[in-house]
Short mmCIF file of all heavy atoms in Angstrom, two decimals:
data_model
loop_
_atom_site.label_atom_id
_atom_site.label_comp_id
_atom_site.label_asym_id
_atom_site.label_seq_id
_atom_site.Cartn_x
_atom_site.Cartn_y
_atom_site.Cartn_z
N THR A 65 -116.54 76.99 124.68
CA THR A 65 -116.84 75.57 124.85
C THR A 65 -117.96 75.37 125.86
O THR A 65 -118.85 74.54 125.67
CB THR A 65 -115.58 74.82 125.32
OG1 THR A 65 -114.53 75.07 124.39
CG2 THR A 65 -115.83 73.33 125.41
N ILE A 98 -136.35 61.75 120.08
CA ILE A 98 -136.94 61.24 121.33
C ILE A 98 -137.35 59.80 121.04
O ILE A 98 -138.22 59.56 120.20
CB ILE A 98 -138.16 62.05 121.76
CG1 ILE A 98 -137.81 63.55 121.80
CG2 ILE A 98 -138.64 61.60 123.14
CD1 ILE A 98 -139.01 64.44 122.00
N VAL A 108 -150.55 53.90 124.89
CA VAL A 108 -151.07 55.13 124.30
C VAL A 108 -150.25 56.31 124.82
O VAL A 108 -150.01 56.44 126.01
CB VAL A 108 -152.56 55.33 124.66
CG1 VAL A 108 -153.06 56.66 124.14
CG2 VAL A 108 -153.38 54.17 124.13
N ILE A 109 -149.80 57.14 123.91
CA ILE A 109 -148.97 58.26 124.30
C ILE A 109 -149.81 59.49 124.60
O ILE A 109 -150.85 59.72 123.97
CB ILE A 109 -147.92 58.55 123.20
CG1 ILE A 109 -146.86 59.53 123.76
CG2 ILE A 109 -148.56 59.13 121.95
CD1 ILE A 109 -145.60 59.54 122.94
N THR A 119 -137.93 72.54 126.26
CA THR A 119 -137.80 71.37 127.14
C THR A 119 -136.55 71.52 127.99
O THR A 119 -135.62 72.23 127.62
CB THR A 119 -137.69 70.08 126.33
OG1 THR A 119 -136.47 70.14 125.58
CG2 THR A 119 -138.84 69.90 125.37
N GLY A 221 -78.55 85.80 162.80
CA GLY A 221 -79.13 84.80 161.93
C GLY A 221 -80.26 85.31 161.07
O GLY A 221 -81.01 84.52 160.48
N LEU A 234 -89.01 76.16 147.99
CA LEU A 234 -88.52 75.53 146.76
C LEU A 234 -88.80 74.03 146.71
O LEU A 234 -88.71 73.41 145.66
CB LEU A 234 -87.01 75.77 146.61
CG LEU A 234 -86.63 77.23 146.37
CD1 LEU A 234 -85.13 77.38 146.21
CD2 LEU A 234 -87.34 77.79 145.14
N PHE A 267 -96.79 76.52 151.84
CA PHE A 267 -96.19 77.19 150.67
C PHE A 267 -96.61 78.66 150.55
O PHE A 267 -95.86 79.46 150.01
CB PHE A 267 -96.48 76.43 149.36
CG PHE A 267 -97.94 76.17 149.07
CD1 PHE A 267 -98.71 77.14 148.44
CD2 PHE A 267 -98.53 74.96 149.40
CE1 PHE A 267 -100.05 76.89 148.15
CE2 PHE A 267 -99.87 74.71 149.11
CZ PHE A 267 -100.63 75.68 148.49
N LYS A 285 -86.46 104.23 155.54
CA LYS A 285 -86.14 104.06 156.94
C LYS A 285 -86.44 105.34 157.74
O LYS A 285 -86.81 105.27 158.91
CB LYS A 285 -84.65 103.71 157.08
CG LYS A 285 -84.45 102.59 158.07
CD LYS A 285 -83.05 102.04 158.05
CE LYS A 285 -83.01 100.85 158.98
NZ LYS A 285 -81.96 99.92 158.69
N GLU A 289 -87.92 106.13 161.50
CA GLU A 289 -87.14 106.88 162.48
C GLU A 289 -87.91 108.10 162.97
O GLU A 289 -87.90 108.44 164.15
CB GLU A 289 -85.79 107.31 161.86
CG GLU A 289 -84.85 106.14 161.70
CD GLU A 289 -83.54 106.53 161.07
OE1 GLU A 289 -83.48 107.61 160.45
OE2 GLU A 289 -82.57 105.76 161.18
N GLY A 313 -98.78 96.16 149.00
CA GLY A 313 -98.01 94.92 149.07
C GLY A 313 -98.76 93.85 149.84
O GLY A 313 -98.77 92.68 149.45
N ILE A 319 -103.78 88.31 147.86
CA ILE A 319 -104.32 87.75 146.62
C ILE A 319 -103.54 86.51 146.21
O ILE A 319 -104.11 85.50 145.80
CB ILE A 319 -104.28 88.81 145.50
CG1 ILE A 319 -105.33 89.87 145.79
CG2 ILE A 319 -104.53 88.17 144.14
CD1 ILE A 319 -105.28 91.03 144.85
N VAL A 330 -102.43 69.04 144.26
CA VAL A 330 -101.89 67.77 144.76
C VAL A 330 -102.42 67.43 146.16
O VAL A 330 -102.92 66.33 146.40
CB VAL A 330 -100.35 67.81 144.78
CG1 VAL A 330 -99.79 66.55 145.42
CG2 VAL A 330 -99.84 67.92 143.35
N VAL A 353 -114.47 63.99 134.54
CA VAL A 353 -113.73 63.15 133.61
C VAL A 353 -113.93 61.73 134.13
O VAL A 353 -113.47 61.39 135.20
CB VAL A 353 -112.23 63.50 133.60
CG1 VAL A 353 -111.52 62.65 132.59
CG2 VAL A 353 -112.02 64.98 133.33
#
Side-chain angles (χ1 to χ4, degrees):
Chain A
T65 305
I98 308 171
V108 175
I109 192 162
T119 64
L234 293 181
F267 55 85
K285 224 169 185 156
E289 287 179 342
I319 289 173
V330 175
V353 182

